[in-house]
Amino acid sequence: MEYIRSKKYFTPDLQTKIMGPNPIKLQEELLQNHKIPSGSFVCDLGSGQGLTSVFLAKEYGFVVFAVDLWSEPKENEEFFKKMGLSSAQIKSVKADANELKFEKEFFDAVVSTDSYNYFGRDPIYLDEKLLPFVKKGGFVYITVPGMKKDCHDKLPEELLLSWTPEELDYIHDITYWSNIISHCKKADLISIYEMESNSEVWSDWIKQNNEYAINDRKAIEAGGGDYLNFIAIILQKR
């Protein structure tokens, strides 16, 4: 991919806001040929410091609710203002993904970039915790870090340079995620596939100088990325 939209956000100050493999590029690939109308109410679930939320608002014209448990709304809202967005275009909400407090069928769509694997691995999560807040016919777009093939029975040494077996248990292959999604009764699976984004988004991340990126360099520079991928999951609520 050329990541035409993402290039606008590849500045040193904005890149410091990424919290893992470049989420803007992941989001751009995930939303190719998307079916969410401009002006839709969109939940950016697991929005971190809000960079993906800005991207959704500015590039796609959505009204975005940046939902995250670990970031502070005041800081996010100051950032949104600096990016030229008003409170009518984007809002920051501190919330647990398992305890969302919105009105039922509030959102036209949910987009979750590189975070769903932390809270969505329970097979009942979609039906009981998330889909009640999505309108009928609305969409859920998810991208998660994955493995090309699950190797938890014999984890490669390259991956263990940066992550413990417990941390790697958040990462699985398409077969695993297909099984999780198969339990969902309130939405149809449109597609699940391995994304093109992998080496490039990891490269962007490990160039950062925070402690987490520095730790992740060890695995990626040793070839750990050969075992990894990103998985896209797209659903539509019945």
Side-chain angles (χ1 to χ4, degrees), residues 52 121 220:
T52 52
R121 292 177 300 138
I220 299 303

Side-chain angles (χ1 to χ4, degrees), residues 5 13 35 65 106 152 156 228:
R5 297 176 187 264
D13 57 329
K35 297 181 180 180
F65 292 76
F106 183 77
H152 292 281
L228 304 177

Side-chain angles (χ1 to χ4, degrees), residues 124-206:
I124 68 170
Y125 177 77
L126 270 169
D127 280 345
E128 295 191 7
K129 305 284 188 172
L130 184 59
L131 286 171
F133 302 101
V134 180
K135 295 175 183 176
K136 290 181 180 178
F139 294 93
V140 179
Y141 284 79
I142 299 165
T143 174
V144 291
M147 289 182 172
K148 291 180 179 175
K149 185 175 181 180
D150 264 16
C151 53
H152 292 281
D153 54 341
K154 190 177 181 182
L155 289 166
E157 291 298 321
E158 296 94 324
L159 296 180
L160 293 170
L161 290 172
S162 294
W163 306 296
T164 65
E166 291 75 22
E167 289 170 326
L168 289 165
D169 194 40
Y170 288 100
I171 304 176
H172 291 274
D173 63 9
I174 284 183
T175 300
Y176 172 92
W177 281 106
S178 295
N179 180 57
I180 294 291
I181 300 300
S182 71
H183 291 83
C184 178
K185 297 179 174 62
K186 297 180 180 178
D188 295 315
L189 177 63
I190 295 175
S191 59
I192 180 169
Y193 58 92
E194 180 176 334
M195 299 176 71
E196 179 181 327
S197 306
N198 189 45
S199 59
E200 185 166 345
V201 295
W202 275 108
S203 177
D204 290 345
W205 168 235
I206 63 173

